[in-house]
Amino acid sequence: MTTCARAILPPLALLIALSLMMMIAPVSAQLTLRLGVIDGADGSLLRGALLAARRVNDRGGLVAADGKPFHLAVVDTPPDNMDIAIANMRQASAIAVIGPARGDLVERFMPQLLALQVPVITPATGDTVLLGDHANRVFRGRAAANVRAAALADYAARTLGVRTVRALQLDGARPADLISFANALDASGIRLSNSAVDEADPELDAIARELEASNVGLVAIFGPPEAAARVTLRLRGAGYQGAVAYDGALAPDFTAEAPVKDLAGVIAAATWSPALPDAASQAFVLDYVRAFAEVPDETAAAGYDATLAIAEALLGPGSPSDNLATLSRLQGAQGELNPAELRRGELSGNALVLALNEYGAPDVVARYRGGRRVSLGEPLISRQALPPSPPPPATPTPAPTPTPAGYNLTIQSNVQNVRSGPGLDFEVIGQLRRGAQALVLGATPDYAWLVIDYRGQWGWLAAHLVVTYGNRSLLPVIQPPTTPTPPSAILAPAQSEADIVVLRAAPARVILDQPAAISVTVANQGATAAGSFAIATTLGPGGIFAGVNVPRLEAGAQTTVQLNASLRGATGPQSVIIVADLNNEVAEGAAGEANNRAFAYRYLADRAQLASGASTAGIGTVDLDGYGVADLNWTGAELVALGGAGMYQMSAFGSIDDAHYDAIDLSRASLKSLRIEQLTDATIGLRTADGHRGVLKLRGAPRDGRLAFDFRVYR
């Protein structure tokens, strides 16, 4: 269903938008994600997006990486007042924005668009459109001007055999387009000469005669369509037999200025054409004509492909912006969308060279994909976007960016929770998998938690669980949201029905790769006995389901049950919800049902240990792992690593209980000694002399030459 942000949207646009409500049928059982489009109510960009959203929903919607089904609703707003348009997008909580189509609007309002913190896809093709994007969230939905210019130059050189080109720059021509074409010609070995034409006194006949007498192989016209058509007619009238190129050749104002036969043969570079023979393109044309009773243009195809790309990006576990940048071989109306192999921010590298035929319609005479010319009949090896049956959630590993800009992070754990705030008390809003990368938007004042763009909202990640790179000092400090008040497990007074609640769970550290027993204490705090019910959770890492049945629990009674599982994966903090009365077998009333998912079990998944405990060492050597080889030497003034042992200060950990196997980075364990003043309150990561990982924490300052510490050494 097309939805509108009514509080701000101008009334006329609201009425027109409501007329399109039937384009996308509602799917009440699914989550609705709003896709924003900044375009006129009858604009082709909006219509392309509506058509693609309907396609997504007609195929049953999509299933995100976290298992949630969703369908797309389109929220549209006109670009007449960009401040209002952007406010509409924010009010509608749009998960991505398509538009505006004008490059000057994108460049002028770049800061406000970036402040939406969602991907923005524009069909603007200007080479400078993306320069102001410091957050890597703005994308170009069709090939840039330099890509189209390169296609036209290559066609002129290789197919037409052109060696010289004359550019006619009419008043009002944009110099950026001419510069792109000049650079492309130079790369193809073609010599360019330029003539500026004064429309007030054009002397077109003299120019046409001069060009006809010269040996110029191609005349490229830059300027308004009406003036370009007049220049073309004069060239033909003077007998010029060379090629004429004009990128606006498909514009109605160009073809309306002259008889069709006189414009035949004019060539142009484009990002898409209804004449493209691909099956996907032809299906798009047919659907568009059926829906809107008109032939789509390049902007409509860009809106259609942008919507399909956003839908695909929402399937991945990372942020939509990062997922868009790593899409590969996605078949759209314009051809293969392959942003993973293009510069950051580019969704399409597809370009066509078109020639007007004797009927004034464009014929596709050359096709380019990613800078390479391909046959018009070349079989497509792309995967089709959005298969009819959504596949189960995949575990993609996004390709790393060789030289990412800004401050970035890479996930190290098999699965890492993304939270709504900086702490384990905050809700888990999603997960990222090993190898996923994200741009860091900010951090807590102590840099212990980092903020990323996660599906259009701020997601918080514990800094000690990720690898970061870039200049941290440039990050803005983001004040954390208010810590949520955990729901109370015990409700008073007792209600008349049964009321099953989880009171506590243990242990606080669960060892991986061996059977684990989680003890869960449950209570019936209601006034009625509860019959059989189940207690269950899904434990991490690995997403292992564990459940147990409780046969009966009297009113006011407690019992302890065990959840058994064997977990494998990366070590680190975990937080899961232990569900009371999993299958809703007990009649608990509204209040009782409301607390069935109130208990969060927080624990640390860790590896098995060789040795651990509390120890006191006098001056001399210390063998931590018990292998008979000394690891450390305490001199009374400094702690020295012996043999192959090494140390480093784990500044992110204030307690040994917070440290775990994967948090110990042996590549950093290069210190051979730490002075006594460096040991106070320090958590020390270790590589033992035998190569094992370990962690050590002093218990107070050294006294009487003796060192008291807690330690743990892993297998």
Side-chain angles (χ1 to χ4, degrees), residues 64-82:
D66 55 10
K68 292 180 180 178
F70 64 86
H71 80 289
L72 293 178
V74 175
V75 182
D76 63 284
T77 185
D80 307 343
N81 186 319
M82 283 295 293

Side-chain angles (χ1 to χ4, degrees), residues 215-277:
N215 221 3
V216 174
L218 182 144
V219 175
I221 304 172
F222 296 86
E226 300 90 339
R230 290 196 297 271
V231 170
T232 303
L233 287 177
R234 298 297 179 88
L235 287 172
R236 297 300 193 211
Y240 174 70
Q241 298 298 312
V244 176
Y246 177 59
D247 264 3
L250 303 184
D253 290 342
F254 179 79
T255 53
E257 284 290 321
V260 169
K261 63 180 181 61
D262 293 330
L263 301 179
V266 173
I267 61 175
T271 56
W272 178 80
S273 167
L276 189 65

